Amino acid sequence: MNKVVGIILAIMLGVMSLLIIAQVISRFFIHFPLTWSEELSRYLMVYIVFLGASLAMRHNKLISIELLPELLTGMKRKVLLCLVFIVSIVFFVILFKQGIDMLSRVKMQSSASLGISMAFPYAAIPIGAVLLTINSIAALLDQFIPKKEDAH
């Protein structure tokens, strides 16, 4: 699943970059701004953040303060990390529920330039929350699976 998410992320980032370049060229050199490109780039960025956060969660690359875990060792460290993952999972479940509630409120609104339902951009919230939850559970389970270097 994360490989597919990574491919989708790469495509979205490429499309967003091309859209921004096209917007700059059309605005400053052709003097004909592409109004829809800025909006689409913004929505792509929102998806990139949520999808990227889920990948970062899986590989323990999210920004965090490591002071307390660095001071602890062994079982105390493992318990603290498990607690952090459990709190994160609870937060992501709440984020999912709130994201779904938000979708029902914005589905009748349409975006200014693209004219699409605002449910599409806002869908990044529950989609990201599901992926973050899945990857948090996987990272939590990793705490109980011995690593290859630990087995020696």
Side-chain angles (χ1 to χ4, degrees), residues 22-33:
Q23 170 67 358
V24 169
I25 291 170
S26 69
R27 180 180 298 247
F28 292 108
F29 297 111
I30 304 172
H31 303 289
F32 183 76

Side-chain angles (χ1 to χ4, degrees), residues 11-25 34 37 41:
I11 292 169
M12 286 180 162
L13 187 60
V15 168
M16 186 183 75
S17 299
L18 291 174
L19 283 172
I20 292 170
I21 290 168
Q23 170 67 358
V24 169
I25 291 170
L34 304 172
S37 66
S41 295

Side-chain angles (χ1 to χ4, degrees), residues 119-132:
F120 291 114
Y122 277 89
I125 298 169
I127 290 170
V130 166
L131 293 172
L132 281 159

Side-chain angles (χ1 to χ4, degrees), residues 1-12 51 54-55 131:
M1 171 190 77
N2 284 332
K3 287 183 182 183
V4 172
V5 170
I7 292 168
I8 292 170
L9 270 172
I11 292 169
M12 286 180 162
L51 297 178
S54 74
L55 286 182
L131 293 172

Side-chain angles (χ1 to χ4, degrees), residues 50-84:
F50 276 102
L51 297 178
S54 74
L55 286 182
M57 173 61 81
R58 180 65 182 105
H59 299 292
N60 294 320
K61 300 292 184 187
L62 283 175
I63 295 173
S64 62
I65 299 172
E66 294 287 328
L67 178 65
L68 191 55
E70 292 295 325
L71 293 174
L72 300 175
T73 58
M75 187 54 83
K76 289 179 183 177
R77 177 182 168 95
K78 193 174 278 204
V79 168
L80 176 65
L81 292 174
C82 289
L83 183 62
V84 168

Side-chain angles (χ1 to χ4, degrees), residues 39-48 111-112 114 116 118 121:
E39 189 173 278
L40 181 56
S41 295
R42 190 176 324 119
Y43 298 153
L44 286 171
M45 177 60 88
V46 171
Y47 273 92
I48 288 168
S111 66
L114 295 171
I116 60 172
M118 288 304 291

Side-chain angles (χ1 to χ4, degrees), residues 82-134:
C82 289
L83 183 62
V84 168
F85 283 122
I86 290 168
V87 169
S88 296
I89 291 166
V90 169
F91 173 75
F92 299 141
V93 169
I94 293 168
L95 183 65
F96 174 78
K97 185 192 177 313
Q98 294 300 317
I100 294 295
D101 291 345
M102 183 79 69
L103 283 178
S104 65
R105 284 185 241 138
V106 299
K107 67 182 175 188
M108 298 309 290
Q109 297 175 11
S110 60
S111 66
S113 296
L114 295 171
I116 60 172
S117 169
M118 288 304 291
F120 291 114
Y122 277 89
I125 298 169
I127 290 170
V130 166
L131 293 172
L132 281 159
T133 302
I134 291 168

